[in-house]
PDB file of all heavy atoms in Angstrom:
ATOM      1  N   VAL A   1     -24.015  -5.870   6.773  1.00  0.00           N
ATOM      2  CA  VAL A   1     -22.572  -6.031   7.218  1.00  0.00           C
ATOM      3  C   VAL A   1     -21.871  -4.688   6.976  1.00  0.00           C
ATOM      4  O   VAL A   1     -21.216  -4.112   7.786  1.00  0.00           O
ATOM      5  CB  VAL A   1     -21.921  -7.134   6.605  1.00  0.00           C
ATOM      6  CG1 VAL A   1     -20.324  -7.133   6.865  1.00  0.00           C
ATOM      7  CG2 VAL A   1     -22.553  -8.486   7.088  1.00  0.00           C
ATOM      8  N   GLN A   2     -21.968  -4.217   5.742  1.00  0.00           N
ATOM      9  CA  GLN A   2     -21.154  -3.095   5.300  1.00  0.00           C
ATOM     10  C   GLN A   2     -21.572  -1.787   5.981  1.00  0.00           C
ATOM     11  O   GLN A   2     -20.741  -0.783   5.881  1.00  0.00           O
ATOM     12  CB  GLN A   2     -21.288  -2.930   3.754  1.00  0.00           C
ATOM     13  CG  GLN A   2     -22.516  -2.750   3.130  1.00  0.00           C
ATOM     14  CD  GLN A   2     -23.108  -4.031   2.533  1.00  0.00           C
ATOM     15  OE1 GLN A   2     -23.286  -5.044   3.422  1.00  0.00           O
ATOM     16  NE2 GLN A   2     -23.467  -4.116   1.369  1.00  0.00           N
ATOM     17  N   VAL A   3     -22.723  -1.738   6.573  1.00  0.00           N
ATOM     18  CA  VAL A   3     -23.043  -0.447   7.237  1.00  0.00           C
ATOM     19  C   VAL A   3     -23.134  -0.633   8.751  1.00  0.00           C
ATOM     20  O   VAL A   3     -23.359   0.419   9.466  1.00  0.00           O
ATOM     21  CB  VAL A   3     -24.419   0.108   6.719  1.00  0.00           C
ATOM     22  CG1 VAL A   3     -24.326   0.408   5.245  1.00  0.00           C
ATOM     23  CG2 VAL A   3     -25.551  -0.943   7.111  1.00  0.00           C
ATOM     24  N   CYS A   4     -22.767  -1.704   9.334  1.00  0.00           N
ATOM     25  CA  CYS A   4     -22.883  -1.867  10.736  1.00  0.00           C
ATOM     26  C   CYS A   4     -21.978  -1.032  11.570  1.00  0.00           C
ATOM     27  O   CYS A   4     -22.380  -0.313  12.419  1.00  0.00           O
ATOM     28  CB  CYS A   4     -22.552  -3.407  11.020  1.00  0.00           C
ATOM     29  SG  CYS A   4     -22.486  -3.820  12.768  1.00  0.00           S
ATOM     30  N   ALA A   5     -20.648  -1.110  11.236  1.00  0.00           N
ATOM     31  CA  ALA A   5     -19.669  -0.261  12.069  1.00  0.00           C
ATOM     32  C   ALA A   5     -19.967   1.192  11.950  1.00  0.00           C
ATOM     33  O   ALA A   5     -19.878   2.024  12.868  1.00  0.00           O
ATOM     34  CB  ALA A   5     -18.273  -0.679  11.619  1.00  0.00           C
ATOM     35  N   SER A   6     -20.155   1.580  10.691  1.00  0.00           N
ATOM     36  CA  SER A   6     -20.440   3.053  10.392  1.00  0.00           C
ATOM     37  C   SER A   6     -21.732   3.570  11.261  1.00  0.00           C
ATOM     38  O   SER A   6     -21.717   4.644  11.626  1.00  0.00           O
ATOM     39  CB  SER A   6     -20.477   3.379   8.896  1.00  0.00           C
ATOM     40  OG  SER A   6     -21.632   2.649   8.238  1.00  0.00           O
ATOM     41  N   THR A   7     -22.735   2.712  11.197  1.00  0.00           N
ATOM     42  CA  THR A   7     -23.963   3.094  11.921  1.00  0.00           C
ATOM     43  C   THR A   7     -23.633   3.342  13.365  1.00  0.00           C
ATOM     44  O   THR A   7     -24.035   4.327  14.013  1.00  0.00           O
ATOM     45  CB  THR A   7     -25.028   2.029  11.748  1.00  0.00           C
ATOM     46  OG1 THR A   7     -25.386   1.923  10.380  1.00  0.00           O
ATOM     47  CG2 THR A   7     -26.240   2.425  12.446  1.00  0.00           C
ATOM     48  N   LEU A   8     -22.886   2.368  13.931  1.00  0.00           N
ATOM     49  CA  LEU A   8     -22.518   2.470  15.458  1.00  0.00           C
ATOM     50  C   LEU A   8     -21.782   3.786  15.737  1.00  0.00           C
ATOM     51  O   LEU A   8     -22.064   4.524  16.688  1.00  0.00           O
ATOM     52  CB  LEU A   8     -21.792   1.260  15.777  1.00  0.00           C
ATOM     53  CG  LEU A   8     -21.284   1.287  17.278  1.00  0.00           C
ATOM     54  CD1 LEU A   8     -22.448   1.430  18.214  1.00  0.00           C
ATOM     55  CD2 LEU A   8     -20.485  -0.015  17.596  1.00  0.00           C
ATOM     56  N   LEU A   9     -20.768   4.043  14.809  1.00  0.00           N
ATOM     57  CA  LEU A   9     -19.940   5.236  15.037  1.00  0.00           C
ATOM     58  C   LEU A   9     -20.772   6.586  14.844  1.00  0.00           C
ATOM     59  O   LEU A   9     -20.655   7.538  15.683  1.00  0.00           O
ATOM     60  CB  LEU A   9     -18.812   5.240  14.037  1.00  0.00           C
ATOM     61  CG  LEU A   9     -17.830   4.152  14.346  1.00  0.00           C
ATOM     62  CD1 LEU A   9     -16.796   4.079  13.074  1.00  0.00           C
ATOM     63  CD2 LEU A   9     -16.973   4.428  15.607  1.00  0.00           C
ATOM     64  N   LYS A  10     -21.706   6.569  13.922  1.00  0.00           N
ATOM     65  CA  LYS A  10     -22.544   7.711  13.721  1.00  0.00           C
ATOM     66  C   LYS A  10     -23.519   7.876  14.811  1.00  0.00           C
ATOM     67  O   LYS A  10     -23.894   9.104  15.237  1.00  0.00           O
ATOM     68  CB  LYS A  10     -23.336   7.522  12.387  1.00  0.00           C
ATOM     69  CG  LYS A  10     -22.522   7.657  11.179  1.00  0.00           C
ATOM     70  CD  LYS A  10     -23.310   7.410   9.941  1.00  0.00           C
ATOM     71  CE  LYS A  10     -22.384   7.413   8.646  1.00  0.00           C
ATOM     72  NZ  LYS A  10     -23.103   7.182   7.329  1.00  0.00           N
ATOM     73  N   ASN A  11     -23.841   6.760  15.530  1.00  0.00           N
ATOM     74  CA  ASN A  11     -24.803   6.967  16.704  1.00  0.00           C
ATOM     75  C   ASN A  11     -24.235   7.899  17.836  1.00  0.00           C
ATOM     76  O   ASN A  11     -24.940   8.527  18.439  1.00  0.00           O
ATOM     77  CB  ASN A  11     -24.953   5.608  17.315  1.00  0.00           C
ATOM     78  CG  ASN A  11     -26.084   4.720  16.536  1.00  0.00           C
ATOM     79  OD1 ASN A  11     -26.820   5.226  15.860  1.00  0.00           O
ATOM     80  ND2 ASN A  11     -26.150   3.322  16.905  1.00  0.00           N
ATOM     81  N   PHE A  12     -22.832   7.888  17.814  1.00  0.00           N
ATOM     82  CA  PHE A  12     -22.234   8.695  18.836  1.00  0.00           C
ATOM     83  C   PHE A  12     -21.378   9.870  18.209  1.00  0.00           C
ATOM     84  O   PHE A  12     -20.524  10.455  18.965  1.00  0.00           O
ATOM     85  CB  PHE A  12     -21.284   7.710  19.760  1.00  0.00           C
ATOM     86  CG  PHE A  12     -22.076   6.719  20.405  1.00  0.00           C
ATOM     87  CD1 PHE A  12     -22.098   5.424  20.087  1.00  0.00           C
ATOM     88  CD2 PHE A  12     -23.052   7.074  21.455  1.00  0.00           C
ATOM     89  CE1 PHE A  12     -22.734   4.380  20.708  1.00  0.00           C
ATOM     90  CE2 PHE A  12     -23.838   6.073  22.055  1.00  0.00           C
ATOM     91  CZ  PHE A  12     -23.651   4.777  21.684  1.00  0.00           C
ATOM     92  N   GLY A  13     -21.691  10.125  17.013  1.00  0.00           N
ATOM     93  CA  GLY A  13     -21.008  11.299  16.358  1.00  0.00           C
ATOM     94  C   GLY A  13     -19.483  11.116  16.147  1.00  0.00           C
ATOM     95  O   GLY A  13     -18.739  12.035  16.133  1.00  0.00           O
ATOM     96  N   LEU A  14     -19.014   9.837  15.982  1.00  0.00           N
ATOM     97  CA  LEU A  14     -17.582   9.595  15.859  1.00  0.00           C
ATOM     98  C   LEU A  14     -17.156   9.567  14.383  1.00  0.00           C
ATOM     99  O   LEU A  14     -18.029   9.027  13.498  1.00  0.00           O
ATOM    100  CB  LEU A  14     -17.178   8.365  16.639  1.00  0.00           C
ATOM    101  CG  LEU A  14     -17.490   8.301  18.127  1.00  0.00           C
ATOM    102  CD1 LEU A  14     -17.140   6.960  18.672  1.00  0.00           C
ATOM    103  CD2 LEU A  14     -16.596   9.363  18.808  1.00  0.00           C
ATOM    104  N   PRO A  15     -15.968   9.869  14.037  1.00  0.00           N
ATOM    105  CA  PRO A  15     -15.552   9.910  12.654  1.00  0.00           C
ATOM    106  C   PRO A  15     -15.342   8.444  12.150  1.00  0.00           C
ATOM    107  O   PRO A  15     -15.118   7.476  12.940  1.00  0.00           O
ATOM    108  CB  PRO A  15     -14.135  10.706  12.650  1.00  0.00           C
ATOM    109  CG  PRO A  15     -13.733  10.570  14.025  1.00  0.00           C
ATOM    110  CD  PRO A  15     -14.961  10.537  14.948  1.00  0.00           C
ATOM    111  N   LEU A  16     -15.503   8.254  10.856  1.00  0.00           N
ATOM    112  CA  LEU A  16     -15.231   6.907  10.193  1.00  0.00           C
ATOM    113  C   LEU A  16     -13.825   6.673   9.667  1.00  0.00           C
ATOM    114  O   LEU A  16     -13.531   5.449   9.383  1.00  0.00           O
ATOM    115  CB  LEU A  16     -16.279   6.769   9.040  1.00  0.00           C
ATOM    116  CG  LEU A  16     -17.671   7.109   9.290  1.00  0.00           C
ATOM    117  CD1 LEU A  16     -18.611   6.953   8.123  1.00  0.00           C
ATOM    118  CD2 LEU A  16     -18.256   6.275  10.512  1.00  0.00           C
ATOM    119  N   GLU A  17     -13.060   7.615   9.707  1.00  0.00           N
ATOM    120  CA  GLU A  17     -11.606   7.454   9.199  1.00  0.00           C
ATOM    121  C   GLU A  17     -10.829   6.390   9.867  1.00  0.00           C
ATOM    122  O   GLU A  17     -10.903   6.401  11.150  1.00  0.00           O
ATOM    123  CB  GLU A  17     -10.938   8.743   9.117  1.00  0.00           C
ATOM    124  CG  GLU A  17     -11.442   9.843   8.071  1.00  0.00           C
ATOM    125  CD  GLU A  17     -12.714  10.465   8.576  1.00  0.00           C
ATOM    126  OE1 GLU A  17     -12.903  10.439   9.820  1.00  0.00           O
ATOM    127  OE2 GLU A  17     -13.492  11.001   7.759  1.00  0.00           O
ATOM    128  N   GLY A  18     -10.089   5.565   9.202  1.00  0.00           N
ATOM    129  CA  GLY A  18      -9.043   4.684   9.745  1.00  0.00           C
ATOM    130  C   GLY A  18      -9.733   3.467  10.362  1.00  0.00           C
ATOM    131  O   GLY A  18      -9.141   2.808  11.094  1.00  0.00           O
ATOM    132  N   ILE A  19     -11.055   3.183  10.119  1.00  0.00           N
ATOM    133  CA  ILE A  19     -11.748   2.091  10.849  1.00  0.00           C
ATOM    134  C   ILE A  19     -11.570   0.707  10.215  1.00  0.00           C
ATOM    135  O   ILE A  19     -11.648   0.616   8.829  1.00  0.00           O
ATOM    136  CB  ILE A  19     -13.328   2.453  10.838  1.00  0.00           C
ATOM    137  CG1 ILE A  19     -13.461   3.622  11.916  1.00  0.00           C
ATOM    138  CG2 ILE A  19     -14.064   1.182  11.283  1.00  0.00           C
ATOM    139  CD1 ILE A  19     -13.105   3.260  13.304  1.00  0.00           C
ATOM    140  N   THR A  20     -11.350  -0.298  10.875  1.00  0.00           N
ATOM    141  CA  THR A  20     -11.341  -1.683  10.378  1.00  0.00           C
ATOM    142  C   THR A  20     -12.283  -2.425  11.434  1.00  0.00           C
ATOM    143  O   THR A  20     -12.340  -2.030  12.544  1.00  0.00           O
ATOM    144  CB  THR A  20     -10.011  -2.286  10.424  1.00  0.00           C
ATOM    145  OG1 THR A  20      -9.277  -2.238  11.728  1.00  0.00           O
ATOM    146  CG2 THR A  20      -9.082  -1.638   9.278  1.00  0.00           C
ATOM    147  N   TYR A  21     -12.798  -3.558  10.987  1.00  0.00           N
ATOM    148  CA  TYR A  21     -13.767  -4.313  11.827  1.00  0.00           C
ATOM    149  C   TYR A  21     -13.716  -5.794  11.457  1.00  0.00           C
ATOM    150  O   TYR A  21     -13.328  -6.108  10.384  1.00  0.00           O
ATOM    151  CB  TYR A  21     -15.115  -3.677  11.749  1.00  0.00           C
ATOM    152  CG  TYR A  21     -15.835  -3.622  10.401  1.00  0.00           C
ATOM    153  CD1 TYR A  21     -16.357  -4.734   9.904  1.00  0.00           C
ATOM    154  CD2 TYR A  21     -15.707  -2.540   9.678  1.00  0.00           C
ATOM    155  CE1 TYR A  21     -16.974  -4.718   8.635  1.00  0.00           C
ATOM    156  CE2 TYR A  21     -16.278  -2.384   8.375  1.00  0.00           C
ATOM    157  CZ  TYR A  21     -16.831  -3.429   7.890  1.00  0.00           C
ATOM    158  OH  TYR A  21     -17.399  -3.559   6.561  1.00  0.00           O
ATOM    159  N   LYS A  22     -14.222  -6.507  12.376  1.00  0.00           N
ATOM    160  CA  LYS A  22     -14.425  -7.948  12.127  1.00  0.00           C
ATOM    161  C   LYS A  22     -15.958  -8.378  12.468  1.00  0.00           C
ATOM    162  O   LYS A  22     -16.359  -7.923  13.618  1.00  0.00           O
ATOM    163  CB  LYS A  22     -13.516  -8.857  12.944  1.00  0.00           C
ATOM    164  CG  LYS A  22     -13.677 -10.320  12.839  1.00  0.00           C
ATOM    165  CD  LYS A  22     -12.782 -11.109  13.644  1.00  0.00           C
ATOM    166  CE  LYS A  22     -13.094 -12.641  13.514  1.00  0.00           C
ATOM    167  NZ  LYS A  22     -12.195 -13.484  14.495  1.00  0.00           N
ATOM    168  N   ILE A  23     -16.592  -9.019  11.583  1.00  0.00           N
ATOM    169  CA  ILE A  23     -18.023  -9.492  11.880  1.00  0.00           C
ATOM    170  C   ILE A  23     -18.180 -10.820  11.478  1.00  0.00           C
ATOM    171  O   ILE A  23     -17.665 -11.342  10.590  1.00  0.00           O
ATOM    172  CB  ILE A  23     -18.998  -8.543  10.944  1.00  0.00           C
ATOM    173  CG1 ILE A  23     -19.046  -7.097  11.496  1.00  0.00           C
ATOM    174  CG2 ILE A  23     -20.403  -9.125  11.010  1.00  0.00           C
ATOM    175  CD1 ILE A  23     -19.805  -6.167  10.601  1.00  0.00           C
ATOM    176  N   ALA A  24     -18.845 -11.546  12.379  1.00  0.00           N
ATOM    177  CA  ALA A  24     -19.293 -13.013  12.109  1.00  0.00           C
ATOM    178  C   ALA A  24     -20.439 -13.217  12.916  1.00  0.00           C
ATOM    179  O   ALA A  24     -20.773 -12.613  13.978  1.00  0.00           O
ATOM    180  CB  ALA A  24     -18.189 -13.936  12.467  1.00  0.00           C
ATOM    181  N   GLY A  25     -21.320 -14.286  12.559  1.00  0.00           N
ATOM    182  CA  GLY A  25     -22.560 -14.664  13.149  1.00  0.00           C
ATOM    183  C   GLY A  25     -23.427 -15.422  12.236  1.00  0.00           C
ATOM    184  O   GLY A  25     -23.092 -16.097  11.391  1.00  0.00           O
ATOM    185  N   ILE A  26     -24.702 -14.878  12.198  1.00  0.00           N
ATOM    186  CA  ILE A  26     -25.686 -15.319  11.314  1.00  0.00           C
ATOM    187  C   ILE A  26     -26.248 -14.039  10.693  1.00  0.00           C
ATOM    188  O   ILE A  26     -26.135 -12.965  11.245  1.00  0.00           O
ATOM    189  CB  ILE A  26     -26.749 -16.105  11.855  1.00  0.00           C
ATOM    190  CG1 ILE A  26     -27.533 -15.485  13.038  1.00  0.00           C
ATOM    191  CG2 ILE A  26     -26.153 -17.524  12.367  1.00  0.00           C
ATOM    192  CD1 ILE A  26     -28.706 -16.302  13.599  1.00  0.00           C
ATOM    193  N   ASN A  27     -26.918 -14.260   9.525  1.00  0.00           N
ATOM    194  CA  ASN A  27     -27.620 -13.091   8.878  1.00  0.00           C
ATOM    195  C   ASN A  27     -28.612 -12.230   9.769  1.00  0.00           C
ATOM    196  O   ASN A  27     -29.310 -13.022  10.418  1.00  0.00           O
ATOM    197  CB  ASN A  27     -28.361 -13.498   7.629  1.00  0.00           C
ATOM    198  CG  ASN A  27     -28.932 -12.350   6.882  1.00  0.00           C
ATOM    199  OD1 ASN A  27     -30.222 -12.324   6.766  1.00  0.00           O
ATOM    200  ND2 ASN A  27     -28.210 -11.294   6.479  1.00  0.00           N
ATOM    201  N   HIS A  28     -28.548 -11.070   9.864  1.00  0.00           N
ATOM    202  CA  HIS A  28     -29.327 -10.150  10.701  1.00  0.00           C
ATOM    203  C   HIS A  28     -28.982 -10.290  12.069  1.00  0.00           C
ATOM    204  O   HIS A  28     -29.538  -9.521  12.927  1.00  0.00           O
ATOM    205  CB  HIS A  28     -30.799 -10.484  10.521  1.00  0.00           C
ATOM    206  CG  HIS A  28     -31.355  -9.838   9.090  1.00  0.00           C
ATOM    207  ND1 HIS A  28     -32.780  -9.789   8.875  1.00  0.00           N
ATOM    208  CD2 HIS A  28     -30.785  -9.323   8.099  1.00  0.00           C
ATOM    209  CE1 HIS A  28     -32.945  -9.391   7.666  1.00  0.00           C
ATOM    210  NE2 HIS A  28     -31.642  -8.997   7.223  1.00  0.00           N
ATOM    211  N   MET A  29     -28.085 -11.224  12.472  1.00  0.00           N
ATOM    212  CA  MET A  29     -27.590 -11.335  13.802  1.00  0.00           C
ATOM    213  C   MET A  29     -26.183 -11.696  13.840  1.00  0.00           C
ATOM    214  O   MET A  29     -25.681 -12.570  14.410  1.00  0.00           O
ATOM    215  CB  MET A  29     -28.423 -12.358  14.734  1.00  0.00           C
ATOM    216  CG  MET A  29     -28.129 -12.051  16.296  1.00  0.00           C
ATOM    217  SD  MET A  29     -28.864 -13.399  17.250  1.00  0.00           S
ATOM    218  CE  MET A  29     -30.499 -12.872  17.546  1.00  0.00           C
ATOM    219  N   GLY A  30     -25.380 -10.934  12.998  1.00  0.00           N
ATOM    220  CA  GLY A  30     -23.905 -10.997  12.962  1.00  0.00           C
ATOM    221  C   GLY A  30     -23.434 -10.126  14.049  1.00  0.00           C
ATOM    222  O   GLY A  30     -24.064  -9.040  14.310  1.00  0.00           O
ATOM    223  N   TRP A  31     -22.280 -10.355  14.565  1.00  0.00           N
ATOM    224  CA  TRP A  31     -21.811  -9.504  15.677  1.00  0.00           C
ATOM    225  C   TRP A  31     -20.491  -8.805  15.201  1.00  0.00           C
ATOM    226  O   TRP A  31     -19.659  -9.320  14.596  1.00  0.00           O
ATOM    227  CB  TRP A  31     -21.401 -10.475  16.919  1.00  0.00           C
ATOM    228  CG  TRP A  31     -22.606 -11.376  17.286  1.00  0.00           C
ATOM    229  CD1 TRP A  31     -22.695 -12.639  17.045  1.00  0.00           C
ATOM    230  CD2 TRP A  31     -23.651 -10.905  18.047  1.00  0.00           C
ATOM    231  NE1 TRP A  31     -23.977 -13.103  17.527  1.00  0.00           N
ATOM    232  CE2 TRP A  31     -24.536 -12.065  18.213  1.00  0.00           C
ATOM    233  CE3 TRP A  31     -24.100  -9.674  18.610  1.00  0.00           C
ATOM    234  CZ2 TRP A  31     -25.713 -11.952  18.970  1.00  0.00           C
ATOM    235  CZ3 TRP A  31     -25.236  -9.630  19.381  1.00  0.00           C
ATOM    236  CH2 TRP A  31     -26.021 -10.664  19.497  1.00  0.00           C
ATOM    237  N   LEU A  32     -20.559  -7.515  15.572  1.00  0.00           N
ATOM    238  CA  LEU A  32     -19.318  -6.622  15.394  1.00  0.00           C
ATOM    239  C   LEU A  32     -18.391  -7.087  16.490  1.00  0.00           C
ATOM    240  O   LEU A  32     -18.352  -6.587  17.639  1.00  0.00           O
ATOM    241  CB  LEU A  32     -19.736  -5.213  15.474  1.00  0.00           C
ATOM    242  CG  LEU A  32     -18.651  -4.151  15.260  1.00  0.00           C
ATOM    243  CD1 LEU A  32     -18.041  -4.300  13.871  1.00  0.00           C
ATOM    244  CD2 LEU A  32     -19.080  -2.752  15.457  1.00  0.00           C
ATOM    245  N   LEU A  33     -17.490  -7.960  16.116  1.00  0.00           N
ATOM    246  CA  LEU A  33     -16.560  -8.546  17.151  1.00  0.00           C
ATOM    247  C   LEU A  33     -15.434  -7.689  17.550  1.00  0.00           C
ATOM    248  O   LEU A  33     -14.901  -7.693  18.678  1.00  0.00           O
ATOM    249  CB  LEU A  33     -16.090  -9.922  16.629  1.00  0.00           C
ATOM    250  CG  LEU A  33     -17.170 -10.996  16.376  1.00  0.00           C
ATOM    251  CD1 LEU A  33     -16.578 -12.146  15.774  1.00  0.00           C
ATOM    252  CD2 LEU A  33     -17.947 -11.371  17.784  1.00  0.00           C
ATOM    253  N   GLU A  34     -14.859  -6.910  16.497  1.00  0.00           N
ATOM    254  CA  GLU A  34     -13.814  -6.039  16.697  1.00  0.00           C
ATOM    255  C   GLU A  34     -14.012  -4.801  16.001  1.00  0.00           C
ATOM    256  O   GLU A  34     -14.609  -4.718  14.912  1.00  0.00           O
ATOM    257  CB  GLU A  34     -12.404  -6.739  16.110  1.00  0.00           C
ATOM    258  CG  GLU A  34     -11.965  -7.980  16.762  1.00  0.00           C
ATOM    259  CD  GLU A  34     -10.698  -8.514  16.057  1.00  0.00           C
ATOM    260  OE1 GLU A  34     -10.231  -7.908  15.172  1.00  0.00           O
ATOM    261  OE2 GLU A  34     -10.242  -9.597  16.620  1.00  0.00           O
TER     262      GLU A  34
END
């Protein structure tokens, strides 16, 4: 969970500053909803 959003941003070379997110689902298949 704690590395999901940062991994996605790094995939496309985007900065991590100012990021907030919402995640829910099941373990190993939680969804980055926001």
Side-chain angles (χ1 to χ4, degrees):
V1 171
Q2 57 264 55
V3 298
C4 176
S6 61
T7 299
L8 177 58
L9 293 168
K10 289 175 183 176
N11 279 345
F12 299 112
L14 299 176
L16 307 182
E17 290 76 21
I19 290 298
T20 57
Y21 56 83
K22 176 183 176 181
I23 289 175
I26 59 175
N27 179 243
H28 285 187
M29 199 190 269
W31 304 103
L32 182 61
L33 298 171
E34 295 178 1

